[in-house]
């Protein structure tokens, strides 16, 4: 493994420390330059990691329960925990983590502090209140003495009904994220007034395009919850149409995976090249990729409904075609990320066709975690292409294959990237040097091995027909036939993998806790926040790429084309018919 | 804007890959023929299903296996409810080998799934909608039916069986148990 840095000028900029007139050096880390923004990032990451801790514990209990290795809850409570796991991981850990990352990225790249502390307090407060309401109603389901529950899983399909406060909580979490987006846009506008002709800095460009996509896509779930589910759960309207509400959910349900993924891409494009010892290959290509995601992410949601009755096959084919085009920006990302890493490795003295891989800093936790998450994502992308094909989807829809797939994408590409970048970022937003460095260096590998075990076995269990979302995947009437391996061996791998993942999560949380509580404030950091300029910069790219209004308009037109007719078909017989009365769980 | 030669190559290769994928899918849909679910099953009032008033529905019959009115193949009407399939759970669904079987599946309460484990016979069962699809079983045998969508605290008990029997043994048993 390489030692020393041949390209010190790139990785060790003067920017973190400045000489003052009397000759002393002052640290200029993110927390020193933007104390307000650093505080917001700390709060967001803190809440995100608490949610992650809860989610990881529930995940472990599920993995051991459904493989029959260890059972500490009755099977009927399994779904309460599963709801908790899905909501805490997929909605809270992600949304708060992303809000923190984006606050950092937008502030760093624009070089100005967040505009209004009232707006900041409003979005943080709204998101936190929403989280507390949703999490509270879920946990209440474990106690018979509390007359509230929300055992509806994180997809909350009607007519299963949760306590109204669960839906209110979900709505507040989303409204809070809208306000956070408004804050990023205001920050950008302030920057723009001082730089009328400059290109949008790359990280800010990525943040803004992602948030535009988020506004367009959350509209579906917001209408579902506010117009239908809240009034229905309160008894203000009698019935809702299960297919319509479900369709509104999946209108949001696919782009949300890009809302998770794009922040990881922000890190892969802008931070990973630096951590590899080099610089990003191409700024314009990165912009093209984000624009493609903005316009293509939403008109694909029907690929989650291939097996739904009541939706014409033609609409499903259109969604499938769009989905395959959505592969393009991810394939382009693969190219750029690998090329940038190779460039970094060669800067560090790496040679050979694949020999350069050895020159990368695999012993550094931030680099190792991000690079491993990229490798897992390549595998997840492959299994995703299979999900997206309509005929194979019929084989694996709602089987364990599906959680096998998304634990590679959101569960690793996003989650491990966030953990790994925290090893680099948390020191910069706290001013404290990373503690338990050895534990941190090992942690990405523990997660990686755990995920290889759990995910491969879940994929194969899905091929054998074992369903997801069930406490007892064995039935009196028949038994499952494994296609590859044996069902008993898959169970063992899921149980061991889940345990390793839990250990990996605990290691990460221990490092964060130690850094936050034991790290000395104002210590000399081992990292710095300088990000080198890309090899080909934005100035060579067409100005139109930065026209956010244009791309938002294109995205809206495509959404209208993909969803206009199908939604019209569904509501033609009445907004609430065929309707269902609530079924409390 | 300068685009590197490798970038162009990669871009082209990606497009080829995407088009190839779509080709295999279209081939898969037209060639081997997958039991796809569309909107041709129609809709139904789920309280009609819950109360068993099937005479009030023109596109759904009392649960059971029927000979098709045109004499070709069979029609299977299944109602899913917390936590059983009717028919399927109390007694297996019996269908003949080598004949076209048309399934009509709907729900009396919440959203369920209807999945022949390990096969591509797989549909969501959504209240108010009738999932309609055709399957021809080429061999005799027994399949497990799994509800693969969470439908309440007893979800993990919801399963059934489907038996594919030789044509000589097959009797259409109209009207399952109600
Ligand atoms: C400690 C690590 C983890 C373990 C042991 C774990 C385990 C599991 C298991 C066994 C299931 C399947 C349950 C079932 O279908 O019956 C599951 C579902 C799920 N997991 Fe994880 N997981 C972990 C981390 C994550 C992370 C980091 C995320 C996302 C950021 C995540 C998101 C989800 C989601 C969205 C579901 C589906 C919930 C549903 O079906 O409603 N998990 N997890
Ligand atoms: Cu999707
Ligand atoms: Cu079920």
């Amino acid at each position: 493994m390489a030692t020393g840095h041949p390209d010190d000028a790139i990785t060790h900029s003067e920017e973190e420390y400045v000489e003052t007139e009397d000759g002393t050096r002052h640290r200029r880390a993110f927390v020193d330059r933007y104390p307000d923004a650093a505080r917001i990032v700390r709060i967001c990451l803190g809440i995100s990691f608490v949610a992650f801790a809860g989610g990881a514990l529930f995940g472990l209990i599920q993995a051991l329960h459904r493989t029959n290795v260890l059972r500490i809850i009755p099977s009927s409570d399994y779904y309460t925990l599963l709801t908790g796991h899905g909501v805490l991981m997929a909605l809270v850990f992600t949304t708060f983590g992303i809000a923190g990352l984006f606050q950092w990225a937008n502030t760093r790249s624009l070089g100005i502090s967040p505009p209004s502390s009232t707006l900041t307090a409003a979005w943080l407060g709204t998101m936190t209140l929403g989280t507390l309401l949703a999490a509270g109603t879920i946990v209440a389901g474990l106690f018979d003495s509390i007359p509230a529950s929300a055992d509806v899983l994180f997809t909350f399909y009607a007519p299963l009904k949760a306590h109204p406060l669960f839906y209110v909580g979900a709505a507040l979490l989303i409204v809070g994220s809208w306000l956070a987006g408004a804050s990023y846009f205001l920050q950008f506008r302030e920057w723009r007034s001082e730089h009328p002709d400059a290109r949008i800095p790359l990280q800010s460009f990525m943040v803004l395009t992602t948030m535009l996509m988020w506004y367009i896509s959350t509209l579906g779930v917001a209408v579902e919850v506010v117009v239908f589910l809240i009034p229905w759960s309160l008894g203000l309207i009698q019935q809702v149409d299960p297919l319509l509400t479900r369709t509104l959910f999946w209108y949001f349900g696919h782009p949300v995976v890009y809302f998770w993924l794009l922040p990881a891409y922000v890190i892969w494009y802008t931070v990973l090249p630096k951590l590899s010892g080099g610089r990003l290959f191409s700024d314009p290509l990165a912009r093209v990729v984000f624009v493609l995601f903005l316009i293509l992410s939403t008109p694909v949601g029907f690929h989650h409904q291939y097996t739904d009755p009541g939706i014409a096959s033609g609409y499903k084919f259109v969604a499938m075609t769009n989905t395959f085009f959505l592969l393009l920006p991810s394939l382009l990302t693969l190219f750029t990320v690998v090329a940038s890493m190779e460039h970094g490795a060669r800067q560090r003295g790496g040679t050979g066709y694949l020999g350069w891989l050895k020159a990368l800093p695999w012993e550094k936790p931030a680099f190792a975690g991000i690079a491993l998450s990229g490798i897992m994502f390549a595998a997840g992308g492959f299994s995703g292409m299979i999900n997206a094909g309509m005929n194979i989807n019929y084989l694996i829809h709602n089987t364990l294959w599906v959680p096998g797939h998304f634990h590679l994408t959101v569960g690793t590409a996003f989650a491990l990237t966030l953990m790994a970048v925290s090893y680099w970022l948390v020191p910069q937003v706290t001013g404290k040097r990373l503690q338990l460095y050895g534990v941190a260096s090992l942690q990405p590998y523990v997660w990686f091995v755990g995920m290889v075990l759990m995910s491969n076995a879940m994929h194969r269990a899905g091929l054998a027909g074992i369903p997801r979302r069930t406490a007892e995947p064995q039935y009196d009437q028949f038994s499952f036939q494994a296609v590859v391996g044996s069902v008993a061996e898959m169970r063992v791998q899921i149980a061991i993998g889940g345990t390793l993942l839990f250990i990996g999560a605990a290691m990460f949380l221990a490092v964060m806790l130690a850094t936050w509580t034991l790290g000395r404030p104002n210590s000399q950091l081992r990292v710095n926040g300088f990000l080198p300029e890309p090899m080909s910069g934005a100035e060579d790219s067409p100005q139109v790429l930065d026209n956010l209004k244009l791309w938002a308009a294109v995205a809206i037109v495509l959404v209208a084309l993909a969803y206009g007719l199908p939604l019209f078909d569904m509501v033609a017989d009445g907004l609430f018919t065929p309707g269902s009365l609530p079924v409390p769980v | 804007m300068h685009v590197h030669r490798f970038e162009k190559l990669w871009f082209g290769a990606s497009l080829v890959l995407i088009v190839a994928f779509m080709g295999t899918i279209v081939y898969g849909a037209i060639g081997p023929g997958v039991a796809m679910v569309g909107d041709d099953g129609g809709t139904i009032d789920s309280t009609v299903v819950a109360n068993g008033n099937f005479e009030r529905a023109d596109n759904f019959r009392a649960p059971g296996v029927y000979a098709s009115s045109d004499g070709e193949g069979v029609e299977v009407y299944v109602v899913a409810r917390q936590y059983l399939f009717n028919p399927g759970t109390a007694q297996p669904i019996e269908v003949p080998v080598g004949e076209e079987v048309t399934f009509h599946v709907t729900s009396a309460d919440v959203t369920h799934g209807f999945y022949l484990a390990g096969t591509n016979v797989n549909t969501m069962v959504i209240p108010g909608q009738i999932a309609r699809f055709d399957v021809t079983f080429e061999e005799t045998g027994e399949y497990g039916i799994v509800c693969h969508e969470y439908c309440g605290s007893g979800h993990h008990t919801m399963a059934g069986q489907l038996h594919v029997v030789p044509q000589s043994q097959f009797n259409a048993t109209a009207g399952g148990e109600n």
Side-chain angles (χ1 to χ4, degrees), chain A residues 79 151 285 307-310 316 320-321 324 331 335 385 391 394-395 397-398 465 469-470 475 477-478 540, chain B residues 1 7 10 18 21-22 25 28 34-35 37-38 109 115 122-124 129 144 148-150 155-156 159 161:
Chain A
Y79 307 103
D151 302 341
L285 195 67
T307 62
D308 278 16
K316 297 177 181 175
M320 183 179 70
T321 313
F324 279 114
L331 288 168
F335 176 84
M385 292 182 211
N391 27 19
Y394 276 82
L395 182 60
H397 173 76
N398 263 0
R469 299 186 148 178
T470 164
Y475 298 88
Q477 288 92 336
F478 61 93
D540 321 330
Chain B
M1 148 167 129
E7 279 175 293
W10 182 265
I18 288 168
F21 266 125
M22 289 193 283
I25 304 300
V34 176
V37 185
D109 41 41
Y115 173 46
N122 186 337
T123 184
M124 298 304 301
Q129 308 291 331
H148 66 26
E149 186 54 83
Y150 167 66
H155 161 60
H156 46 268
Q161 279 183 311

Side-chain angles (χ1 to χ4, degrees), chain A residues 65 71 74-79 469-477, chain B residues 83 146-147 149-159:
Chain A
H65 187 97
R71 300 198 150 189
S75 283
S76 54
D77 277 351
Y78 181 87
Y79 307 103
R469 299 186 148 178
T470 164
E472 307 269 355
Q474 55 235 328
Y475 298 88
D476 301 335
Q477 288 92 336
Chain B
Y83 300 101
V146 186
C147 171
E149 186 54 83
Y150 167 66
C151 54
S153 57
H155 161 60
H156 46 268
T157 62
M158 185 163 168

